[in-house]
Amino acid sequence: MGEKTKRKSKIAVIFLGLLGIVVLLGALATVKLRSGIELQRFALASVQAERIALRIDNGIIISMERLELPDRRAPFSVFRPDLLISRFNGWSHLFREIRISSIHYRGHVYTLLFRDNLITVSGDDFQLAGDVSYEDDAVLLNIANLEIKPYSAVLSGKASYYRESRNFVFKGRFAALGINGRVNISQHRDMIDAEIRTERFFDLAGALEQLPVDRDAVSWVRENITARDYLINNLHLGF
């Protein structure tokens, strides 16, 4: 009995010692994260990041100088937007701020700031400002302003992405090509449906000229369709 008691005492001492080491390491890691840690470079398959700073202050704060994302069409890539969205859905409550100075993707450069569920993304082809929320497996984005620069288009409304079905839905308003109206867009995998209703506008051919439409078709519209104004009650497009 004496030996068994001694053996149990030794196990208890070893266990308590290991527990103390774990607690100490955890405390040191917490102190280190509160003061901040930095990485000059990080790479995972085809995703590369440079000059990363991480610290904890009422939440996780991450800043990054440069992030390079692969083209989704590459044969192999760990960059899966649907997986990233679903994982961020589960982790988002841990983040207080994410700031990325330059994101390089498909020949474009963007900046991103996520702070307290408010997000802004700015690039050479579009600019986005809105707030993010979550519901079950859905990511909800309330878009205050989305500017698509090549077409001088501005949209606002509500977008939803559903992880399980990979469906994307947008409902809102738009102003583009001298036309104001409402638009509903839904995407399931590679299929896109759009429904457009407009307010009255005055230059149909002028609007078509700014789109990738055959020039002969634009000329035909200009020569053969004339009206004081135009109104699209329901235009359905599928891609």
Side-chain angles (χ1 to χ4, degrees):
M1 289 294 292
E3 290 184 2
K4 289 184 178 180
T5 302
K6 289 181 179 179
R7 191 177 297 115
K8 289 180 180 180
S9 298
K10 287 181 179 179
I11 292 173
V13 170
I14 292 171
F15 176 77
L16 291 174
L18 291 174
L19 181 61
I21 291 172
V22 171
V23 171
L24 178 60
L25 290 174
L28 291 174
T30 301
V31 170
K32 183 62 177 176
L33 284 173
R34 289 191 180 279
S35 61
I37 59 175
E38 294 185 3
L39 293 175
Q40 287 300 310
R41 187 175 179 83
F42 176 81
L44 177 62
S46 48
V47 177
Q48 298 186 31
E50 297 179 2
R51 290 183 288 280
I52 309 160
L54 169 66
R55 65 187 178 92
I56 294 178
D57 184 2
N58 295 322
I60 299 173
I61 298 174
I62 297 175
S63 64
M64 194 178 305
E65 187 68 27
R66 180 185 178 94
L67 177 65
E68 293 188 11
L69 299 176
D71 192 322
R72 284 184 63 192
R73 294 168 295 192
F76 171 76
S77 173
V78 298
F79 180 58
R80 286 277 305 279
D82 56 314
L83 294 180
L84 292 178
I85 288 172
S86 64
R87 289 167 183 167
F88 190 73
N89 186 353
W91 301 340
S92 61
H93 65 285
L94 301 175
F95 292 94
R96 177 182 168 191
E97 180 179 308
I98 301 173
R99 183 188 299 270
I100 306 176
S101 300
S102 64
I103 302 172
H104 296 256
Y105 181 60
R106 289 190 180 181
H108 299 283
V109 181
Y110 306 97
T111 62
L112 179 145
L113 174 61
F114 175 83
R115 179 188 294 158
D116 298 327
N117 285 339
L118 300 177
I119 185 169
T120 58
V121 181
S122 182
D124 54 349
D125 57 346
F126 80 90
Q127 184 168 326
L128 167 70
D131 61 84
V132 184
S133 59
Y134 308 92
E135 185 177 288
D136 297 328
D137 74 329
V139 181
L140 311 178
L141 178 60
N142 183 28
I143 300 174
N145 184 78
L146 170 59
E147 180 184 356
I148 304 173
K149 297 179 180 180
Y151 297 105
S152 299
V154 178
L155 292 89
S156 61
K158 297 184 181 297
S160 306
Y161 178 83
Y162 300 89
R163 180 181 63 86
E164 293 296 332
S165 61
R166 298 187 189 176
N167 287 351
F168 173 84
V169 177
F170 171 81
K171 296 182 179 181
R173 296 190 60 82
F174 74 92
L177 312 175
I179 304 172
N180 298 323
R182 302 193 67 85
V183 60
N184 296 336
I185 301 172
S186 62
Q187 178 183 8
H188 178 64
R189 300 187 185 275
D190 295 328
M191 301 298 296
I192 300 175
D193 289 309
E195 184 181 353
I196 298 173
R197 296 183 176 88
T198 73
E199 300 173 3
R200 296 186 183 277
F201 61 98
F202 304 98
D203 188 359
L204 177 60
L208 293 175
E209 279 181 338
Q210 301 178 64
L211 296 173
V213 176
D214 184 81
R215 297 300 94 181
D216 291 337
V218 175
S219 298
W220 187 91
V221 168
R222 188 178 298 279
E223 294 171 3
N224 295 276
I225 300 178
T226 58
R228 183 182 63 183
D229 53 39
Y230 304 88
L231 177 68
I232 299 175
N233 284 318
N234 194 333
L235 174 62
H236 184 267
L237 303 173
F239 304 94

